[in-house]
Amino acid sequence: SGCNTSSPKTPDDSNGGSEVQDDTVYEFRFGHAADQNNTWHKAAMKFAEEVEEKSEGRINIRVYPNEQLGGEIDNITAIQAGTADMVLSGESLQNFADIVGIMSTPYLIQDSDHLQAVINGEPGQRIEQAIEEGAGLKVLTYFERGPRMLTSNKPINDINDLDGLRLRIPNVPLFVEVWNEWGARPTPMDFSELFTGLQQNTVEAQENPLALTRSGGFYEVQNYVNNTAHVRGWIYMLIGEDQWNELPEDLQQVMIDAAQVAQDYEHQLFLEDEEAVYNFVVEEQGLEFIETDVTEMIQVAEEYYENNFSEEYLEMYNMIRDL
Ligand code: 2Q2
């Protein structure tokens, strides 16, 4: 199980009770969906460098962008099987631990401050615990994301324009439910298959923060960015529990410190990138920006939560709303 380890030398056990130098090299394969220019990738590379340096080469991390280790769910099952070790993932973990879906409930989180309070408060703790128990993954850190926005080939002025819209979503059960409720026809699909899906008109729309819309090149096959801003969310940097537990304590500390460095670095890049990515998609690529009226989308979603959420979901929903 776990990471690939290699011992260049056989530990010499002839020296009695004295400490044996542990020269195991831990090798971790770290996959994510974004392209090489995305802040996720830059931060993942920063993490890898930092870990390599501070561990003096005892940990080696290879980062695989563009879902090279498979789509998000496959990457996670590969970690569980020991053929991959790390991933960036979030609400898709609902497939392993139901309550995790709450982290991306449309129109629940209001802004960046609210988001920080959720992550650092009791809801965040519960979500992390559910991820550990349900998916066998340990949270190392998180990256804040821009609001998810719908892109399409027709303007979406309000909920009526969603009627029958063939839309790609990530594999998140709550997203399927809410988009259905809004009248669209959502289909879960891997991120790396989405460009072709749009090009071949298997789907006609998708929703993501603008940074991933740029990563995937979707501006080439979409004409409108609709300011739905339906989810304010974040993504976790995760490592398999088995892989984590194989690390001696001093190397665990190296990973924790490096994750903090990566987070600070990513957050700075994220703040700088928010305007740049809007300019890129709207000004440079010429997608038309639509100020969607989301009033009814919010009403329909809230009514759905009230009538369909489990007790556990409602409790978390209220806890987050009141933060
Ligand atoms: O649309 C996507 O594929 C990405 O934005 C993310 O993978 C998505 O936010 C979730 O699947 C994260 O778990």
Side-chain angles (χ1 to χ4, degrees):
S1 77
C3 61
N4 303 311
T5 56
S6 55
S7 290
K9 287 175 276 170
T10 311
D12 179 2
D13 57 8
S14 66
N15 56 353
S18 72
E19 281 269 319
V20 172
Q21 166 71 34
D22 179 4
D23 53 11
T24 305
V25 174
Y26 297 86
E27 287 172 4
F28 295 136
R29 289 151 57 85
F30 180 1
H32 66 82
D35 75 319
Q36 262 130 320
N37 297 316
N38 190 283
T39 58
W40 289 2
H41 188 70
K42 291 176 184 163
M45 294 301 287
K46 180 83 168 179
F47 176 73
E49 275 165 34
E50 189 73 13
V51 165
E52 169 110 38
E53 189 194 317
K54 295 288 158 57
S55 72
E56 293 170 342
R58 289 163 67 203
I59 307 176
N60 179 266
I61 295 172
R62 285 181 63 182
V63 182
Y64 296 82
N66 301 310
E67 295 195 330
Q68 284 168 17
L69 294 184
E72 218 176 308
I73 303 290
D74 287 344
N75 196 153
I76 293 161
T77 50
I79 293 172
Q80 293 167 341
T83 55
D85 308 288
M86 293 184 65
V87 69
L88 294 179
S89 184
E91 57 267 21
S92 287
L93 289 159
Q94 190 188 351
N95 295 291
F96 300 88
D98 187 51
I99 195 65
V100 179
I102 198 85
M103 71 184 274
S104 60
T105 307
Y107 297 116
L108 174 56
I109 293 177
Q110 301 304 317
D111 55 28
S112 183
D113 288 343
H114 190 196
L115 183 128
Q116 304 290 333
V118 172
I119 297 171
N120 297 317
E122 192 183 335
Q125 274 169 21
R126 285 206 205 171
I127 290 165
E128 289 189 25
Q129 198 186 336
I131 293 173
E132 240 170 85
E133 284 166 8
L137 299 175
K138 182 190 164 51
V139 170
L140 287 172
T141 190
Y142 71 91
F143 302 149
E144 180 175 343
R145 309 178 70 181
R148 296 184 85 90
M149 291 188 194
L150 182 67
T151 70
S152 56
N153 286 323
K154 62 169 193 185
I156 306 297
N157 292 305
D158 59 32
I159 195 168
N160 297 311
D161 294 327
L162 295 177
D163 191 32
L165 186 77
R166 287 175 291 111
L167 166 81
R168 176 273 178 184
I169 49 165
N171 192 341
V172 181
L174 181 62
F175 283 0
V176 177
E177 292 168 37
V178 176
W179 284 100
N180 266 321
E181 216 45 36
W182 284 336
R185 287 167 53 193
T187 309
M189 190 186 285
D190 279 352
F191 185 82
S192 50
E193 283 164 11
L194 178 49
F195 184 88
T196 309
L198 288 166
Q199 201 175 34
Q200 297 180 347
N201 196 28
T202 313
V203 287
E204 53 186 330
Q206 67 92 31
E207 50 80 52
N208 253 303
L210 290 182
L212 274 198
T213 290
R214 179 183 54 191
S215 264
F218 309 140
Y219 50 84
E220 288 179 21
V221 284
Q222 298 277 265
N223 298 325
Y224 296 91
V225 180
N226 307 283
N227 190 12
T228 49
H230 49 283
V231 172
R232 304 283 316 227
W234 67 98
I235 200 94
Y236 285 115
M237 189 198 282
L238 301 152
I239 183 166
E241 289 253 282
D242 291 347
Q243 290 85 332
W244 179 254
N245 290 330
E246 280 178 35
L247 287 173
E249 246 174 72
D250 64 321
L251 291 185
Q252 288 183 346
Q253 193 57 49
V254 164
M255 296 278 281
I256 289 168
D257 294 344
Q260 186 59 52
V261 169
Q263 196 210 334
D264 294 344
Y265 178 72
E266 201 277 344
H267 194 65
Q268 198 50 48
L269 293 180
F270 165 75
L271 294 174
E272 289 164 15
D273 194 43
E274 279 301 273
E275 205 185 314
V277 71
Y278 173 87
N279 287 338
F280 176 80
V281 172
V282 176
E283 310 294 339
E284 273 178 56
Q285 298 300 324
L287 271 72
E288 195 175 328
F289 194 76
I290 304 294
E291 281 298 351
T292 309
D293 179 353
V294 297
T295 321
E296 241 182 294
M297 288 172 72
I298 296 174
Q299 279 166 5
V300 168
E302 286 178 348
E303 198 177 314
Y304 178 80
Y305 307 149
E306 241 169 73
N307 296 326
N308 296 279
F309 268 180
S310 65
E311 233 170 86
E312 193 191 15
Y313 256 72
L314 275 180
E315 195 206 340
M316 278 280 261
Y317 180 84
N318 291 327
M319 199 190 294
I320 291 172
R321 202 193 41 199
D322 297 344
L323 268 179

CSV table of all heavy atoms in Angstrom, one decimal, residues 33 40 67 72 89-93 145 148 168-172 175 191 207-209 212 235, ligand 1:
chain,number,residue,atom,x,y,z
A,33,ALA,N,-6.6,18.6,-11.9
A,33,ALA,CA,-7.3,18.8,-13.1
A,33,ALA,C,-6.8,20.0,-14.0
A,33,ALA,O,-7.0,20.0,-15.2
A,33,ALA,CB,-8.8,19.0,-12.9
A,40,TRP,N,-3.2,26.5,-9.3
A,40,TRP,CA,-3.1,25.2,-8.6
A,40,TRP,C,-1.8,24.5,-8.9
A,40,TRP,O,-1.2,23.9,-8.0
A,40,TRP,CB,-4.3,24.3,-9.0
A,40,TRP,CG,-5.6,24.6,-8.6
A,40,TRP,CD1,-6.0,25.7,-7.8
A,40,TRP,CD2,-6.8,23.9,-8.8
A,40,TRP,NE1,-7.3,25.7,-7.5
A,40,TRP,CE2,-7.9,24.6,-8.2
A,40,TRP,CE3,-7.1,22.7,-9.5
A,40,TRP,CZ2,-9.2,24.2,-8.2
A,40,TRP,CZ3,-8.5,22.3,-9.6
A,40,TRP,CH2,-9.5,23.0,-8.9
A,67,GLU,N,-5.3,16.1,-15.3
A,67,GLU,CA,-5.8,14.8,-15.0
A,67,GLU,C,-5.0,13.7,-15.6
A,67,GLU,O,-5.5,12.6,-16.0
A,67,GLU,CB,-7.3,14.7,-15.4
A,67,GLU,CG,-8.2,15.6,-14.6
A,67,GLU,CD,-9.7,15.4,-14.7
A,67,GLU,OE1,-10.2,14.9,-15.8
A,67,GLU,OE2,-10.4,15.7,-13.8
A,72,GLU,N,-10.9,13.1,-11.4
A,72,GLU,CA,-10.8,13.3,-9.9
A,72,GLU,C,-11.1,12.0,-9.2
A,72,GLU,O,-10.4,11.6,-8.3
A,72,GLU,CB,-11.8,14.4,-9.6
A,72,GLU,CG,-11.3,15.3,-8.5
A,72,GLU,CD,-12.3,16.4,-8.2
A,72,GLU,OE1,-12.7,17.1,-9.2
A,72,GLU,OE2,-12.6,16.6,-7.0
A,89,SER,N,-8.9,18.0,-4.5
A,89,SER,CA,-10.3,17.6,-4.6
A,89,SER,C,-11.2,18.3,-3.6
A,89,SER,O,-10.7,18.8,-2.6
A,89,SER,CB,-10.5,16.1,-4.5
A,89,SER,OG,-11.8,15.7,-4.7
A,90,GLY,N,-12.5,18.4,-3.9
A,90,GLY,CA,-13.4,19.0,-2.9
A,90,GLY,C,-14.7,18.3,-2.9
A,90,GLY,O,-14.9,17.2,-2.5
A,91,GLU,N,-15.7,19.0,-3.4
A,91,GLU,CA,-17.1,18.5,-3.3
A,91,GLU,C,-17.4,17.2,-4.0
A,91,GLU,O,-18.3,16.5,-3.6
A,91,GLU,CB,-18.1,19.6,-3.9
A,91,GLU,CG,-17.9,20.0,-5.3
A,91,GLU,CD,-17.0,21.3,-5.4
A,91,GLU,OE1,-16.2,21.6,-4.5
A,91,GLU,OE2,-17.0,21.9,-6.5
A,92,SER,N,-16.5,16.8,-4.9
A,92,SER,CA,-16.6,15.5,-5.5
A,92,SER,C,-16.5,14.4,-4.5
A,92,SER,O,-16.9,13.2,-4.7
A,92,SER,CB,-15.6,15.2,-6.6
A,92,SER,OG,-15.9,16.0,-7.8
A,93,LEU,N,-15.9,14.7,-3.4
A,93,LEU,CA,-15.7,13.7,-2.3
A,93,LEU,C,-17.0,13.4,-1.6
A,93,LEU,O,-17.1,12.5,-0.8
A,93,LEU,CB,-14.7,14.2,-1.2
A,93,LEU,CG,-13.3,14.2,-1.7
A,93,LEU,CD1,-12.4,15.2,-0.9
A,93,LEU,CD2,-12.7,12.9,-1.7
A,145,ARG,N,-11.2,29.4,-4.1
A,145,ARG,CA,-11.5,29.5,-5.5
A,145,ARG,C,-12.4,30.7,-5.9
A,145,ARG,O,-13.2,31.1,-5.0
A,145,ARG,CB,-12.2,28.2,-6.0
A,145,ARG,CG,-11.5,27.0,-5.6
A,145,ARG,CD,-12.2,25.7,-6.0
A,145,ARG,NE,-12.2,25.5,-7.5
A,145,ARG,CZ,-12.8,24.5,-8.1
A,145,ARG,NH1,-13.5,23.7,-7.4
A,145,ARG,NH2,-12.7,24.4,-9.4
A,148,ARG,N,-18.1,30.0,-9.0
A,148,ARG,CA,-18.4,29.2,-10.2
A,148,ARG,C,-19.4,30.0,-11.1
A,148,ARG,O,-20.4,30.5,-10.6
A,148,ARG,CB,-19.0,27.8,-9.8
A,148,ARG,CG,-18.1,26.9,-9.1
A,148,ARG,CD,-18.7,25.6,-8.8
A,148,ARG,NE,-18.5,24.6,-9.9
A,148,ARG,CZ,-17.5,23.8,-10.0
A,148,ARG,NH1,-16.5,23.8,-9.1
A,148,ARG,NH2,-17.4,23.0,-11.0
A,168,ARG,N,-22.6,20.2,-18.5
A,168,ARG,CA,-21.7,19.3,-17.8
A,168,ARG,C,-21.4,19.9,-16.4
A,168,ARG,O,-21.3,21.1,-16.2
A,168,ARG,CB,-20.3,19.3,-18.5
A,168,ARG,CG,-19.3,18.4,-17.8
A,168,ARG,CD,-18.5,19.3,-16.8
A,168,ARG,NE,-17.5,18.4,-16.0
A,168,ARG,CZ,-16.7,18.9,-15.0
A,168,ARG,NH1,-16.8,20.2,-14.7
A,168,ARG,NH2,-15.9,18.1,-14.4
A,169,ILE,N,-21.4,19.0,-15.4
A,169,ILE,CA,-21.1,19.3,-14.1
A,169,ILE,C,-20.0,18.3,-13.6
A,169,ILE,O,-19.9,17.2,-14.2
A,169,ILE,CB,-22.3,19.3,-13.1
A,169,ILE,CG1,-23.1,18.0,-13.3
A,169,ILE,CG2,-23.2,20.5,-13.3
A,169,ILE,CD1,-24.0,17.7,-12.2
A,170,PRO,N,-19.2,18.6,-12.6
A,170,PRO,CA,-18.4,17.5,-12.0
A,170,PRO,C,-19.3,16.5,-11.3
A,170,PRO,O,-20.4,16.7,-11.1
A,170,PRO,CB,-17.5,18.3,-11.0
A,170,PRO,CG,-18.3,19.5,-10.7
A,170,PRO,CD,-19.1,19.9,-11.9
A,171,ASN,N,-18.7,15.4,-11.0
A,171,ASN,CA,-19.4,14.3,-10.4
A,171,ASN,C,-19.8,14.6,-8.9
A,171,ASN,O,-19.2,14.0,-8.0
A,171,ASN,CB,-18.6,13.0,-10.5
A,171,ASN,CG,-19.5,11.8,-10.2
A,171,ASN,OD1,-20.5,11.9,-9.6
A,171,ASN,ND2,-19.0,10.6,-10.6
A,172,VAL,N,-20.8,15.4,-8.7
A,172,VAL,CA,-21.2,15.8,-7.4
A,172,VAL,C,-22.7,15.7,-7.3
A,172,VAL,O,-23.5,16.4,-8.0
A,172,VAL,CB,-20.8,17.3,-7.1
A,172,VAL,CG1,-21.3,17.7,-5.7
A,172,VAL,CG2,-19.3,17.6,-7.3
A,175,PHE,N,-24.9,18.7,-7.0
A,175,PHE,CA,-25.0,19.5,-8.2
A,175,PHE,C,-26.1,19.0,-9.2
A,175,PHE,O,-26.8,19.7,-9.8
A,175,PHE,CB,-23.7,19.6,-8.9
A,175,PHE,CG,-22.6,20.5,-8.3
A,175,PHE,CD1,-22.9,21.2,-7.2
A,175,PHE,CD2,-21.4,20.7,-8.9
A,175,PHE,CE1,-22.0,22.1,-6.6
A,175,PHE,CE2,-20.4,21.5,-8.3
A,175,PHE,CZ,-20.7,22.2,-7.2
A,191,PHE,N,-13.3,16.4,-16.0
A,191,PHE,CA,-12.9,17.7,-16.5
A,191,PHE,C,-12.2,17.5,-17.8
A,191,PHE,O,-12.4,18.3,-18.7
A,191,PHE,CB,-12.0,18.4,-15.4
A,191,PHE,CG,-11.6,19.8,-15.8
A,191,PHE,CD1,-12.5,20.8,-15.5
A,191,PHE,CD2,-10.4,20.0,-16.4
A,191,PHE,CE1,-12.1,22.1,-15.9
A,191,PHE,CE2,-10.0,21.3,-16.7
A,191,PHE,CZ,-10.9,22.4,-16.5
A,207,GLU,N,-20.0,24.8,-16.0
A,207,GLU,CA,-19.9,25.8,-14.9
A,207,GLU,C,-18.6,25.6,-14.2
A,207,GLU,O,-18.3,24.4,-13.8
A,207,GLU,CB,-21.1,25.8,-14.0
A,207,GLU,CG,-21.6,24.5,-13.5
A,207,GLU,CD,-20.8,24.0,-12.3
A,207,GLU,OE1,-20.7,24.8,-11.4
A,207,GLU,OE2,-20.3,22.9,-12.4
A,208,ASN,N,-17.8,26.6,-13.9
A,208,ASN,CA,-16.5,26.5,-13.2
A,208,ASN,C,-16.1,27.9,-12.8
A,208,ASN,O,-16.6,28.9,-13.4
A,208,ASN,CB,-15.5,25.9,-14.1
A,208,ASN,CG,-15.1,24.5,-13.7
A,208,ASN,OD1,-14.7,24.2,-12.6
A,208,ASN,ND2,-15.3,23.6,-14.7
A,209,PRO,N,-15.2,28.0,-11.9
A,209,PRO,CA,-14.5,29.3,-11.7
A,209,PRO,C,-13.8,29.7,-13.0
A,209,PRO,O,-13.4,28.8,-13.7
A,209,PRO,CB,-13.5,29.0,-10.6
A,209,PRO,CG,-14.1,27.9,-9.8
A,209,PRO,CD,-14.7,27.0,-10.9
A,212,LEU,N,-10.6,27.9,-14.1
A,212,LEU,CA,-10.6,26.5,-14.7
A,212,LEU,C,-11.2,26.6,-16.1
A,212,LEU,O,-10.9,25.8,-17.0
A,212,LEU,CB,-11.4,25.5,-13.9
A,212,LEU,CG,-10.6,24.8,-12.8
A,212,LEU,CD1,-11.3,23.5,-12.4
A,212,LEU,CD2,-9.2,24.4,-13.2
A,235,ILE,N,-10.8,24.2,-2.7
A,235,ILE,CA,-10.3,22.9,-3.0
A,235,ILE,C,-9.3,22.4,-2.0
A,235,ILE,O,-8.5,23.3,-1.5
A,235,ILE,CB,-9.7,22.9,-4.5
A,235,ILE,CG1,-9.6,21.5,-5.1
A,235,ILE,CG2,-8.4,23.6,-4.6
A,235,ILE,CD1,-10.8,21.1,-5.9
B,1,2Q2,O1,-15.5,21.2,-12.5
B,1,2Q2,C1,-14.5,20.6,-12.1
B,1,2Q2,O2,-14.2,19.5,-12.5
B,1,2Q2,C2,-13.7,21.3,-11.0
B,1,2Q2,O3,-14.2,22.6,-10.8
B,1,2Q2,C3,-13.6,20.5,-9.7
B,1,2Q2,O4,-13.2,19.3,-10.0
B,1,2Q2,C4,-15.0,20.5,-9.0
B,1,2Q2,O5,-15.1,21.7,-8.3
B,1,2Q2,C5,-15.2,19.4,-8.0
B,1,2Q2,O6,-15.2,18.2,-8.6
B,1,2Q2,C6,-14.1,19.4,-6.9
B,1,2Q2,O7,-14.2,18.2,-6.1
